[in-house]
Structure formats: C-alpha cells, structure tokens
Amino acid sequence: MNPDTTTVTDKKVKIAVAKGDGIGPEIMDATLKILEAAGASIQPEYIEIGENVYLSGNTSGIQEEAWNIIDEAKVILKAPITTPQGKGYKSLNVTLRKSLALFSNVRPVNALHPYVQTNFPKMDVVIIRENEEDLYAGIEHQQTQEVVQCLKLITRPGSEKIVRYAFEYAQAYGRKKVTCMVKDNIMKLTDGLFHQVFKEISAEYPDIISESQIIDIGSARLAANPENYDVIVTSNLYGDVISDIAAEIAGSVGMAGSANVGLNVAMFEAIHGSAPDISGKNIANPSGLLNGAVMMLSHIGQTEVADKIKNAWLTTIEEGHHTADIFQEGQSVKKVSTSEFAEEVIARLGQKPKQLKESKLASGAGTINIPSYERKVVDKKLVGVDVFIDWSGSNPDEIGNNLHAVNSAKMKLKMITNRGVKVFPNGLKETYCTDHWRCRFVSSEAIIQTGKPHYPTVEYDHVLTLLTDLSNAGFDVIKTENLYEFGGKRGFSLGQGE
Ligand code: NAD
C-alpha cells in the first residue's frame, strides 16, 4: 500500500461518489467544484446510498449497482449519511467499512490557530482507529426480560493490521510517537489482546516512541493537552469518540477529513455526520469533506493537485473567509455560505498560506506495508462451560442449590455470577441480581478448592448431556459459552470474586 506513489496517467481516475444525506449534497457539490477547478484528474461515478435507498424499501441502504461501481473504482468519496438512533436500519457507514475490509480509519486533526479558535494552537494529532470490529460488529441480543447484550469482538489479525498500520503511518509521515489507548485493566482478554499486539509490534519500530494509556485518562489528557500526542492507535468505539473530541477542540467538527483504508479499496469522507439541523441552508462547512478529498487525491497519486487545493484552502482560512461554525468576530473577515466558501477556495488556487504550515504532499511520504496475516497453530482444550440461565428469582443460594441438585455425571457447578459478580457460593447479600445468571460448570474431577485450580479436559458430549439435564430439570438456558485453554493459557475471564 503506497498512498503517495500510485502512477498518474492522463486517464481520469474513476471515483465512486456518494452525495449522502442532510448537508451531504451541499458539501459534496462544493468539494467537487473545487476539485474540478484545481484540475483533479477524476471521473465521478455517482452511487445512490443512504436514507432515500432505505426509504425505497432497500434495507441495506445501498443500491446493488453501487457495489459494482465501487468494485471497479476501488476509491469512494462519500458525504455523510443519516442513521437512526436506537432503532431502524443498520448503519451503512459501518456496513461499507466492514464489507470492503476498510480496516484503518485515519483521522488527522490539527489546529489552525489563530484563524480558527482553539485553546491548543500547536495541536497536530493523527488518530488511527480500528474500523471493522469491536462493539461495532453490531451483534446484539435481548436474552432475558431485563438484559440485552452486545458482543465486543477483538481479533489478533485485526489488531495486528491496525497497530502495524499506525507504526507504518508514523514512519511514512515522519511522526515520532504512537500512543495506544485501551481499557485492559477491565477487559483483560479483548483490550488485553489489542495491548499485547501493540507491545509486540512496537518492538519492531525502535525509532518511534511507543506508549500506552488507559482510555479514560488518555482521552481526558487528550482533551486537556492534545499537543502532547502525535499518532494515537485504538479500537473502534474509543477511536470514534476521541476523534470527535480531537476535532472539536481543534476548532470545529466540520473541519476534519478521514480516510478509511483497506488493502484494495479506500473510502474518503468528513468525520462529521449529516447535520440535519443545518441541512438545506447552504451554511455547512465543506472543509471536512474537502480534506477527505485531499487525502483521496494523495492516495491516487495526484499529490500536486492535493497540495494545490490544500494550500488554497489554508489561504482561505488564513484570510478570514469563514463559514458560520468557525466564524469569530474580530478574527474572521467575512461570514460565507457553503457555496461562497468553495468560490473563495477556487479564487486562491495557486496561492500558498503565509502563516499556516504549507501542504507538501508532493514531496513524498514513505510507503505503508501491511504483511499478510499468518495464523499460528495453538493447542485448544475445552475445560468447562458457562451456562446462562434466565431466572426471575432473587436468591442466589436458591438457584445455586437447585443447580447442584441436577445430577449431571461428568460436570459440576463451580460458581454463579450475576452481571459478572460472584453470587454463589458465598455471595454478598447486598449484590443486586437481575434475571441473568451465568453458571460456570467444569469437570467433576476439577480441583478448585485450594491452590492453583486445575481443570481437566471436558468432552463436548458432557456439555450436551449437562444442557439436556438442565432443560429436563426446568431451567431456561438462554446461551452457553465454552471455556477453553489455548496453549495452556486460560481463555476466559474470571468472575469478580471468583
Ligand atoms: P453531526 O456531526 O451531523 O452534527 C453535530 C453538530 O455539528 C451539529 O450541530 C451540526 O450542525 C454540526 N456540524 C456537523 N458538520 C458540520 C459542518 N460541516 N459544518 C457546520 N456544522 C457542522 O452529528 P449528529 O447530529 O450526531 O448526527 C447526525 C446524523 O449523521 C446521524 O444520523 C448520524 O448517525 C449521522 N452520522 C453519519 C456519519 C457518516 O456518514 N460518516 C458520521 C457521524 C454521524
């Protein structure tokens, strides 16, 4: 993958263009006008995605022909689309990123002080967010009357790709430090894997400083002292949150662009949403999408045009022609509409900023190489099962004793947790219990009372027999999770207090 050295030919590069919802069409028209005036050698192929497609009855939110256009073009320029909160169709943004394996979401955010109001004049951060997995896998279930769950999936190949991308990006763009943000003091397996991969891969880049922070204090520090950060790599949800924080404190969420990069396809967009509150008013700031388009031009090798546009844009900002979101009395010269802003940028094509840092993409960046993943063979051993039971009682001893009474020859109850806290045996009477009981069964021969627990192998047939016995005894089993050891290491979390 080489974002800056794709061969440029006279032939126009096909780009799949989606105008999106809300302010999407306004900012896309402004952006394309600037690209055309600057001489970008592209051929937009329009695709229909978003609200209108959903409303026409297509629940995927994307027309079938659009996939063919994307497949041919391999590059997408996309305006924001609307996704309903809490109900309705699935996010098409997430579908596009996952279906097209756009594993890396790259969001550079830098201050444009003093032209755009910010408390952090030297801020210059690139957030590299994992884009395909984590809680955004979107696998959710209601399991009992009171409990819903969302699966957080973190994979080794996914973590390796994104962490490697962050270090390769830092190297290619002359960045000095990569900070990993995780919450592995709590999620020891999922965030623990991401952190472990970070430690492994950072060792291969001794010239780049690497550090890790817990996401809560990390995001607080990012908000308080963004100038201390360079490149940040993190998982999907955390990255989504902190990149908006970063954009907002840099001046406006309307300014930052992002690249969604895969090994074969790449999609470029603004980081903000469809802003329905200002849609149709011709007042939106097109800068986020324009910056996404500049990244796109760099990706397809048209770095000179990319620099020309970026420098005209920086000059426009410097000369105080601002849309309403960044307009400040005393600093700004003129409040302009979306379309007027585009005209101002076009009028400055060929100019360079006097104070702000000039864009020099054409002077080249290094290459980004992501090796293909090689799966290692590790010994896998089944040592038990967590059986989740829907039970509306409230006394853990009652369900515990009833489960003990189930006579399943090969497996025995080890403990019960409720929302992760051990409530049987020997729970605290203060612990609040809902109707969702995680009941851990291990081999009847397991030694669990003293010292280091030892879990003998369990046959899956034993699990099936246990489930039949539980069902016959009237328990409402809602799901199971097998307990494995991989390479002799425990592959499941302990209950709090276990
Ligand atoms: P939003 O980013 O659309 O808007 C947040 C605030 O920022 C609003 O006050 C808005 O007016 C302002 N704003 C955003 N972009 C601006 C711009 N270019 N110029 C000036 N002001 C701007 O976030 P939201 O309101 O939470 O989401 C609206 C919709 O967008 C939702 O349906 C959401 O799912 C969707 N969304 C889409 C994407 C995407 O397509 N990539 C990303 C985020 C949100």
Side-chain angles (χ1 to χ4, degrees):
M1 215 179 330
N2 185 349
D4 291 329
T5 56
T6 312
T7 312
V8 189
T9 62
D10 289 343
K11 211 165 155 246
K12 290 191 171 186
V13 179
K14 275 191 186 163
I15 308 287
V17 172
K19 289 197 167 192
D21 302 319
I23 58 170
E26 299 161 56
I27 58 173
M28 182 60 84
D29 287 348
T31 299
L32 289 177
K33 212 167 171 190
I34 297 168
L35 262 60
E36 194 188 350
S41 184
I42 59 165
Q43 183 185 324
E45 302 275 342
Y46 292 95
I47 57 172
E48 188 78 48
I49 62 173
E51 225 173 1
N52 284 342
V53 182
Y54 290 119
L55 294 176
S56 73
N58 180 340
T59 52
S60 72
I62 177 163
Q63 282 181 334
E64 206 48 47
E65 320 70 283
W67 290 116
N68 300 334
I69 294 175
I70 292 169
D71 188 43
E72 204 191 329
K74 309 273 187 250
V75 179
I76 311 167
L77 182 63
K78 185 185 83 59
I81 48 186
T82 301
T83 312
Q85 280 178 276
K87 57 183 169 62
Y89 40 81
K90 266 185 123 62
S91 164
L92 178 60
N93 290 316
V94 176
T95 304
L96 281 170
R97 291 168 188 163
K98 290 196 296 190
S99 311
L100 297 169
L102 308 177
F103 67 91
S104 179
N105 193 323
V106 184
R107 297 180 165 195
V109 181
N110 62 301
L112 299 166
H113 179 77
Y115 310 102
V116 176
Q117 164 55 33
T118 172
N119 294 330
F120 310 106
K122 296 203 184 85
M123 175 177 183
D124 182 7
V125 185
V126 181
I127 293 165
I128 297 190
R129 161 190 169 196
E130 197 290 320
N131 221 15
E132 291 181 281
E133 46 193 53
D134 191 9
L135 288 157
Y136 288 49
I139 305 174
E140 296 188 296
H141 297 97
Q142 177 161 5
Q143 298 183 323
T144 68
Q145 196 172 311
E146 294 175 354
V147 176
V148 287
Q149 77 158 23
C150 176
L151 282 186
K152 171 163 168 137
L153 297 176
I154 300 287
T155 69
R156 181 164 265 279
S159 302
E160 284 191 7
K161 261 193 295 187
I162 194 67
V163 171
R164 169 94 47 203
Y165 188 93
F167 279 96
E168 287 280 305
Y169 182 96
Q171 205 167 52
Y173 288 90
R175 300 255 168 185
K176 306 274 178 291
K177 182 168 78 170
V178 180
T179 306
C180 167
M181 290 201 190
V182 280
K183 186 78 184 171
D184 61 339
N185 52 338
I186 305 295
M187 285 161 281
K188 294 177 196 291
L189 286 191
T190 47
D191 283 29
L193 173 60
F194 195 92
H195 194 177
Q196 174 59 30
V197 167
F198 181 79
K199 285 185 208 158
E200 290 165 13
I201 290 181
S202 62
E204 296 176 36
Y205 297 84
D207 296 340
I208 297 170
I209 301 165
S210 63
E211 64 176 16
S212 305
Q213 293 178 353
I214 300 291
I215 183 70
D216 39 6
I217 188 63
S219 28
R221 286 187 186 146
L222 174 68
N225 296 301
E227 289 138 332
N228 292 344
Y229 292 87
D230 193 351
V231 174
I232 298 175
V233 64
T234 189
S235 52
N236 208 337
L237 176 62
Y238 308 147
D240 198 0
V241 175
I242 64 171
S243 53
D244 269 24
I245 294 175
E248 190 71 18
I249 62 177
S252 164
V253 78
M255 304 286 279
S258 85
N260 299 268
V261 186
L263 297 177
N264 300 312
V265 180
M267 179 170 82
F268 300 85
E269 58 185 341
I271 74 158
H272 60 74
S274 57
D277 53 335
I278 56 166
S279 151
K281 296 182 179 159
N282 193 25
I283 58 171
N285 189 343
S287 299
L289 186 60
L290 186 64
N291 277 320
V294 166
M295 293 165 90
M296 176 192 82
L297 290 171
S298 169
H299 176 83
I300 59 174
Q302 298 186 21
T303 47
E304 281 175 15
V305 192
D307 281 336
K308 192 172 167 188
I309 294 172
K310 184 88 181 209
N311 287 326
W313 175 76
L314 288 166
T315 310
T316 308
I317 299 288
E318 243 182 33
E319 293 184 0
H321 295 257
H322 294 165
T323 44
D325 57 316
I326 56 168
F327 184 87
Q328 8 161 12
E329 280 310 334
Q331 180 66 53
S332 304
V333 172
K334 191 177 168 201
K335 191 185 281 182
V336 292
S337 66
T338 312
S339 47
E340 285 167 346
F341 184 81
E343 294 302 338
E344 298 288 356
V345 175
I346 290 169
R348 287 168 181 77
L349 287 168
Q351 296 183 31
K352 290 185 178 157
K354 295 185 180 60
Q355 302 297 331
L356 295 170
K357 197 170 153 209
E358 182 186 335
S359 173
K360 288 186 179 168
L361 292 162
S363 54
T367 54
I368 290 178
N369 293 308
I370 307 292
S372 51
Y373 177 73
E374 278 175 37
R375 185 174 293 153
K376 295 186 187 75
V377 179
V378 190
D379 175 48
K380 178 180 174 184
K381 174 178 148 189
L382 182 66
V383 296
V385 63
D386 278 350
V387 180
F388 290 75
I389 291 177
D390 181 348
W391 184 62
S392 55
S394 59
N395 180 357
D397 288 343
E398 189 184 334
I399 183 171
N401 290 329
N402 287 345
L403 284 169
H404 263 314
V406 175
N407 186 15
S408 201
K410 302 282 187 185
M411 302 193 74
K412 67 179 173 189
L413 179 69
K414 177 171 186 281
M415 59 123 196
I416 303 175
T417 68
N418 198 294
R419 292 187 300 171
V421 183
K422 192 179 86 161
V423 292
F424 182 88
N426 308 324
L428 293 179
K429 64 179 182 329
E430 285 77 13
T431 307
Y432 180 79
C433 292
T434 182
D435 57 358
H436 187 264
W437 304 82
R438 188 258 303 255
C439 309
R440 177 158 291 175
F441 288 85
V442 293
S443 162
S444 308
E445 278 133 42
I447 303 160
I448 51 182
Q449 300 304 338
T450 52
K452 196 166 179 273
H454 168 68
Y455 303 115
T457 304
V458 165
E459 300 297 326
Y460 192 62
D461 272 357
H462 302 162
V463 174
L464 294 176
T465 307
L466 171 70
L467 294 177
T468 308
D469 294 342
L470 290 173
S471 178
N472 290 341
F475 286 100
D476 181 3
V477 173
I478 48 177
K479 80 159 193 167
T480 60
E481 287 286 352
N482 290 345
L483 306 179
Y484 294 109
E485 286 177 359
F486 287 89
K489 279 177 70 182
R490 175 167 48 81
F492 49 93
S493 60
L494 298 176
Q496 274 158 358
E498 186 180 357

